[in-house]
Amino acid sequence: MGIISVEQVDHLYWLGRYTERVYTTLKIFERSFDRMIDEGENLHNTFCEALDIPNIYESDEDFLSRYPFDETIADSIISNLNRAYDNAIVLRETIGSEALSYVQLAIYSMTNAKNSVSPLIELQQITDDLLAFWGIVDDWIDSEQTRNIIKAGKRIERIDLYTRLELDRERIEREIKRMIPRVLRSGINYRESSLCELQTLIHADFLNYDAILNAVESVIE
């Protein structure tokens, strides 16, 4: 595909981050849905605190109806999906129409979910659309650098979210090991010191989640 411009690099990187953000937060939301309906007790407070997003919701019911679908909320799932699409649409010539179409399908699925009496069924379709998008990225994009930039963003976002959720060492270490080669081969300007710090932190006796989060967010210059 030739030389990738600085602007394209930025769009590719954030396409990777936003698609992953939607995918992972959607999976967390789906796991929380039934608990919030059955148990109540303002469980949305824990959700918002874990992901470090503003808690603007009056109740679990308010959260369940607005967090996935309200485009006026910057941290909602639909807002992040729209950002993924905004990056994908300007990359049409780079990623191809088929890859773009799966991001569009995810938006259609979100609209269907908003209007559905059983939103979890339609929300699952969004997960499938994003998995198909990543499959197209692997199979149809010839440029290895393009694939690596998208996947570097994807892995960095996943480590960010897994760290905020304080998941176990094994899962975070696995993502760090998968992220580093992508960054190294992506051609993006990165901080070697941050990559080294992540490797040190993940093997420390005490897992310092705040330090890991700071390190992963400083990988890309």
Side-chain angles (χ1 to χ4, degrees), residues 18-78:
Y18 283 125
T19 50
E20 174 60 32
R21 189 174 302 177
V22 172
Y23 178 79
T24 295
T25 55
L26 189 53
K27 288 174 66 177
I28 301 165
F29 176 83
E30 290 170 344
R31 289 197 297 267
S32 303
F33 189 91
D34 289 338
R35 285 190 62 206
M36 289 187 188
I37 290 178
D38 295 338
E39 300 176 25
E41 299 182 1
N42 291 321
L43 293 175
H44 70 280
N45 294 336
T46 303
F47 188 104
C48 293
E49 182 179 357
L51 290 180
D52 193 26
I53 60 176
N55 187 354
I56 59 174
Y57 307 98
E58 297 178 0
S59 63
D60 287 345
E61 183 178 352
D62 183 45
F63 174 83
L64 292 175
S65 65
R66 296 175 64 205
Y67 175 68
F69 308 120
D70 193 335
E71 296 184 58
T72 68
I73 300 174
D75 296 294
S76 69
I77 296 175
I78 183 59

Side-chain angles (χ1 to χ4, degrees), residues 56-115:
I56 59 174
Y57 307 98
E58 297 178 0
S59 63
D60 287 345
E61 183 178 352
D62 183 45
F63 174 83
L64 292 175
S65 65
R66 296 175 64 205
Y67 175 68
F69 308 120
D70 193 335
E71 296 184 58
T72 68
I73 300 174
D75 296 294
S76 69
I77 296 175
I78 183 59
S79 291
N80 285 318
L81 184 55
N82 285 336
R83 293 187 190 103
Y85 177 76
D86 289 343
N87 282 282
I89 192 69
V90 299
L91 293 165
R92 180 193 293 269
E93 298 301 319
T94 303
I95 65 175
S97 296
E98 190 162 1
L100 171 62
S101 70
Y102 279 105
V103 182
Q104 291 174 314
L105 284 172
I107 292 177
Y108 298 152
S109 298
M110 182 66 79
T111 300
N112 291 336
K114 183 177 182 180
N115 298 323

